Amino acid sequence: MNFKRKIISCIVIWGVIIGSLLSYSPDTHVLSAGGVPEISIIAPPEESVFDASAVEVTGTITDDDTPPESLLVKVFDQQSAAQQPREITNEGTLTIKPNGPSADFTYVKNDFSVGNHTVSIIVTDKDGISSSPIERTFTVNQSGSEETTGTEIGAENQAADTGQTSTTTESSTSQLSIVTGVLAADTLGKRPYLAKMYLIPIDASEEYVPDGDVPSSYLPVEDMTRVPLDYKILLDIRSTEPLIDIKTQPLFTSFGDITGVERLVKTAALSNDLKSYVYSFTPDKDFLPRTTYNVYLNPKFSTVSQIPIIPRFLKFTTVSKYEEYQFPADKGDTSTNYRDNDYVHGPFSVVTNACSYCHSTHNGTNEFLINGKKGENENDMCMACHDGTGSPKIEDNSQHSKHFESTSVSCSSCHDPHTPGTKDNPNSIHRMASGNGPLYSYKKAGTAAGISMDFSLCFSCHNGSKAKNIEKYYTDGTFKSQSGHNIQATIDSGSSLNGQLPCADCHETHGAANLNMLRTELGNEKLQGEKPKTDQLDDNWFSKTDGDWDIDSQRKFCLSCHNGQTVLYGETGKAIYDKETGISLTTTVEHNRKSTTACSECHSDSKSFIDTAHGPKRITP
């Protein structure tokens, strides 16, 4: 019986095999094998040169069998042929975003050392099969350190990740003298600039040492909130030439209603003939509580040979009247680095009565027990105090915020009301990865390097998930390489920008008088006099409250900076046409006062103004 069963089994098995072979057809059967993961790098270009220690690598990864989210990506760095590659994956931020069958990846590391680097990336799939490593070589210059001390600018100062070839100093000279009409090329490297600016206790000026450790009582100015009312300002201005006497030209051109005494505290010699001039500004009276101050450097402040300072604009907000505190701990001490008397926003374990400002145990109007007496929603709750009555006033304007028009966006989309403010996070911004990752970032002119992670707070929505995809202009290699807003700050600008313009250069954080939260004053100088009429195209003021981006509107916006006067990051916005004659100053005949061509017609492949505004395509004559 066993023998018969074996015979029958063999006949069945061979019958199945023979039947399969006879019925096979290439039209109905596909033979497949597991694929090998592939990776490509889009940016930066090979042999790029960076004058900032922050470098962003972008590209795509693909695998036939493994979903992008299941791929393992590792990043290695090798600084010389004699060294072994060292894994740096966890030293930076790696982001992988599925895009159909492939995925886009971004790797950002903010502290690459000075010198040559060969970064290699390897992808491994679920079966342990790895791609061949793909490499990208670049160089970080000495000026990539925290303080810029160089005094010369040359071919290496071109935007490394734009794909442009290097230019000589002579060609840079020609461009500056003809295009801007403002500063001669021999001023490059000689312009004074603001290197550091702090809010400090009234008697703490002498503690400052240029390029030294910063006292824990010092607060950064840019977007600082809850500043003590009795603080003053300290400025570190760098220059290769002696500076003009502050009695002749003051440091500030606008500071609200604040007046005070300016004093040269000390000077310090740095490398390459560069000197640090440390000034203090002591207000005649204490700052007002819950008030936002806009601080503009005087654009006429200059060296003794009349080379003007590079303009800068910063703002900070003071504490509410009942809050009289300072940061008690050094930066980074998370155990004690909070404001002890931050009564409204914690620490709640000590000040539980603060909860009742927003929540009502028995009369709450929703699942969060929000106190309905202050409004119907969360934003009403915040504005009950942030109208200036109990807390700093959020800008009041006709286009307060596009965010308020959305039912899916609220104040807590960006801010965590239950997180006490710290020196590192004064605005209580959320953390990434459900509260366990690094802070979302919203950097501005003084701190931005121009990489996408600098603006991760904006891109948490503006990546196509909840709002228009603006992130692509900062991560897509094509947009970045062709963008005229991809800028490398000049050596003497005091900025480490080497990438796309920060969002805040055009947009107000919480809203503006214009649509799309666009600023009225573009640039870093305080505009004087009355706002011009809307039909004037060649002034810095910008005004647009409604309507489409027609030809006239596009030109008004772009010419607010591209006027031969507005200075950003040491670069002067290219003048399009002569203000007196209206004749084009470029090789393109349409660049004249009466042009009927929209900016997006030439500066965007898609003819879209949103592309033009965020990544304007360069036009090569």
Side-chain angles (χ1 to χ4, degrees), residues 225-237:
T225 63
R226 302 176 239 186
V227 173
L229 305 182
D230 58 350
Y231 264 37
K232 66 178 183 180
I233 292 183
L234 181 136
L235 305 92
D236 181 350
I237 295 177

Side-chain angles (χ1 to χ4, degrees), residues 286-327:
D286 285 352
F287 297 132
L288 296 174
R290 54 183 177 275
T291 300
T292 297
Y293 288 98
N294 297 316
V295 184
Y296 291 85
L297 285 180
N298 182 359
K300 295 182 180 179
F301 186 78
S302 66
T303 65
V304 292
S305 61
Q306 301 299 305
I307 299 177
I309 197 168
I310 294 177
R312 282 288 297 278
F313 156 67
L314 304 101
K315 67 179 182 179
F316 64 90
T317 303
T318 56
V319 299
S320 298
K321 190 171 183 178
Y322 51 80
E323 297 173 312
E324 297 176 357
Y325 50 66
Q326 298 179 13
F327 291 99

Side-chain angles (χ1 to χ4, degrees), residues 166-184:
S166 298
T167 58
T168 63
T169 303
E170 181 179 357
S171 64
S172 298
T173 300
S174 174
Q175 183 183 15
L176 255 155
S177 59
I178 294 176
V179 173
T180 68
V182 178
L183 295 173

Side-chain angles (χ1 to χ4, degrees), residues 328-351:
D330 291 339
K331 177 180 179 181
D333 186 351
T334 56
S335 62
T336 57
N337 192 16
Y338 59 81
R339 278 89 177 267
D340 290 325
N341 298 318
D342 189 357
Y343 296 114
V344 176
H345 294 297
F348 301 100
S349 59
V350 179
V351 193

Side-chain angles (χ1 to χ4, degrees), residues 14-50:
W14 280 104
V16 171
I17 294 173
I18 295 172
S20 299
L21 292 174
L22 292 175
S23 62
Y24 170 76
S25 169
D27 294 333
T28 58
H29 292 74
V30 177
L31 300 178
S32 62
V36 176
E38 298 179 357
I39 184 168
S40 63
I41 294 179
I42 297 175
E46 184 69 15
E47 303 295 342
S48 294
V49 179
F50 294 93

